[in-house]
Amino acid sequence: MNTQPEAAAARPPVSSARYRPIVKSIVSQRWLYLMLVPGILYYIVFHYVPMFGILLAFKDYSLTKGILHSPWVGLRNFRVIFSSYDFFDILKNTILLSFYRIVFNMIPDVVFAILLNEVRVRWFKRVVQTVTYGPYFLSWIIVYGLVFSFFAPGSGLITNLFRDMNWGEINVMTNPDMFRPMLLLSDIWKNTGFGAIFYLAAIAAINPELYEAAIVDGAGRMRQIWHVTIPGIAGVFLLLLILRLGTVLDAGFEQVYIFLNTLVYSVGDILDTNIFRRGIEQFDFGVPIAMGFFKSVVGLIMLVTANKLAKTFTNSGIW
C-alpha cells in the first residue's frame, strides 16, 4: 500500500515549520516583549508619525489649507535657506559649538571617570560621584540663573568682586569672545558627572586579571591606566563619538536659546534657534522644516560615514 501521499499530507508546510521556533520564542518570552510595547509606541507616535510633516519642506504651508492641501513649491524653501545672507554664519556657529562639545566635553568625562575609579576610599568616592552627578538633573533655566547671579553685567557677584577689587570690568554674558567658553564650561559642569557613568560602567567590566597581569609585569598605576583601562573603555568612547557625530548639527538648543542675547548673535545663533524663531515666533513653517530636513540628512550621512570608518579601522561600530 502506498503511504507517501498520506505522509506528505501529514507533514506540516515548510513555511509554518520555519516560523514555528520564532513563534515559540515569542510566546515563551511574551512578558519581555510586552515590556517593549511602551517604548515602541513612543517612537511610533512621537518620532515616526511626525515624519509625515516633512512634506511641509516642499510646500507653501497654510494653516487654513493644512498639510495635504497646501501648494507644492518644490525646492523653493531650500533655495531660501542657502541664499540667506546669514545661513553660513549660523551653520559655522553650529558646527563650531558641536565640535567644541565633542572635544571638550567627552574628554573630561573620560578623565573624570578614570580619576574617580582610582579613588580607594569608598565613601569619598560615592560622595564625589553624587555631588558631580547632581547638576545633571538641573534644568538649563536654573543653570542660567546661577550663571546670571555670578556674571550679570553690573550686578553679578563675581562682576562686583572684580570692580570692587579694582581688577577691571568683567563681561561674560554679553561678550562675543566669552560666550562660547561660557556655554562649554557650564555644559561641562552640568553633564560631566553623568557622562562619566558610561565609562565607569565600562571600567567595571574590564577583566581584573588584566590588571593582575600588568602588576606582575611591573606596571605602576599610570601604566595600568594607559595599557589596560584606556583600551578597555575605547569601545564605549568610540560608540558615543559616533552617536555624537550623528547629531553634529544639534548644538544644544535649550542651553543656547536660554543664554542667547542680541549682543552675541554673531557667535551664538545656531540652526535650532533660527528654526525656532522662524517657526514659532514668525509662523513660517516651510523654511524651518526644510532646515530641519537638511539637518537630518547631514546627521544621517555623518552617522553612516563615522560608523563605516570605525568598522574599517577598528572593526567595531554601532551596527
Side-chain angles (χ1 to χ4, degrees):
M1 186 174 67
N2 190 5
T3 60
Q4 290 184 354
E6 296 178 1
R11 190 183 304 124
V14 176
S15 58
S16 62
R18 180 187 305 172
Y19 295 109
R20 183 176 298 171
I22 299 176
V23 174
K24 185 177 180 181
S25 174
I26 294 175
V27 172
S28 62
Q29 304 182 38
R30 57 188 179 278
W31 299 115
L32 295 178
Y33 285 105
L34 187 62
M35 293 173 63
L36 291 175
V37 172
I40 295 174
L41 290 178
Y42 166 79
Y43 276 96
I44 291 175
V45 174
F46 294 103
H47 290 268
Y48 287 96
V49 173
M51 289 177 67
F52 178 72
I54 292 177
L55 291 176
L56 296 181
F58 307 95
K59 289 193 170 192
D60 183 13
Y61 179 67
S62 172
L63 286 173
T64 58
K65 296 179 180 179
I67 297 177
L68 296 178
H69 297 93
S70 295
W72 292 91
V73 294
L75 299 177
R76 189 187 72 180
N77 291 328
F78 294 93
R79 287 194 294 268
V80 171
I81 294 172
F82 296 123
S83 62
S84 176
Y85 73 94
D86 60 348
F87 171 72
F88 290 100
D89 291 333
I90 295 172
L91 182 62
K92 182 186 72 173
N93 293 338
T94 305
I95 294 175
L96 282 176
L97 280 176
S98 295
F99 177 76
Y100 292 154
R101 288 177 186 276
I102 291 173
V103 174
F104 297 108
N105 283 23
M106 295 189 69
I107 300 301
D109 295 349
V110 175
V111 173
F112 180 69
I114 293 175
L115 292 176
L116 195 60
N117 183 67
E118 294 301 311
V119 176
R120 292 294 176 260
V121 183
R122 296 179 63 88
W123 68 265
F124 181 73
K125 179 178 180 179
R126 292 174 180 174
V127 169
V128 172
Q129 189 171 4
T130 302
V131 170
T132 54
Y133 185 55
Y136 175 78
F137 297 99
L138 300 177
S139 69
W140 278 115
I141 291 291
I142 297 176
V143 176
Y144 174 78
L146 294 173
V147 174
F148 187 83
S149 65
F150 283 104
F151 297 105
S155 61
L157 295 176
I158 296 180
T159 304
N160 289 334
L161 176 64
F162 270 70
R163 184 176 60 249
D164 296 340
M165 298 297 292
N166 293 321
W167 293 343
E169 293 290 334
I170 181 174
N171 183 12
V172 175
M173 306 194 71
T174 58
N175 186 353
D177 295 329
M178 297 295 295
F179 184 72
R180 288 172 182 163
M182 177 183 63
L183 292 179
L184 291 173
L185 290 175
S186 59
D187 189 66
I188 290 173
W189 175 79
K190 185 177 185 296
N191 294 318
T192 296
F194 177 79
I197 291 177
F198 299 100
Y199 300 106
L200 287 171
I203 292 173
I206 297 176
N207 191 345
E209 294 180 358
L210 297 176
Y211 290 103
E212 296 172 0
I215 293 173
V216 171
D217 291 338
R221 295 306 304 174
M222 292 301 298
R223 287 289 183 180
Q224 294 176 41
I225 291 173
W226 183 257
H227 293 289
V228 179
T229 304
I230 293 179
I233 64 177
V236 176
F237 181 86
L238 181 63
L239 172 63
L240 295 177
L241 177 61
I242 293 174
L243 294 176
R244 288 212 176 193
L245 288 175
T247 58
V248 69
L249 294 185
D250 293 328
F253 164 74
E254 186 178 358
Q255 181 195 16
V256 175
Y257 184 76
I258 292 171
F259 280 79
L260 194 63
N261 58 77
T262 56
L263 296 177
V264 294
Y265 264 35
S266 60
V267 297
D269 196 18
I270 60 175
L271 290 175
D272 285 338
T273 55
N274 188 269
I275 289 172
F276 181 83
R277 285 198 307 275
R278 284 177 176 267
I280 303 300
E281 297 178 0
Q282 302 175 15
F283 292 97
D284 178 13
F285 296 100
V287 174
I289 291 176
M291 195 176 295
F293 183 72
F294 165 74
K295 282 181 49 185
S296 300
V297 171
V298 172
L300 177 62
I301 293 173
M302 291 294 296
L303 181 65
V304 173
T305 303
N307 186 72
K308 182 66 176 179
L309 291 175
K311 295 194 72 172
T312 300
F313 293 103
T314 65
N315 198 29
S316 127
I318 58 176
W319 70 79

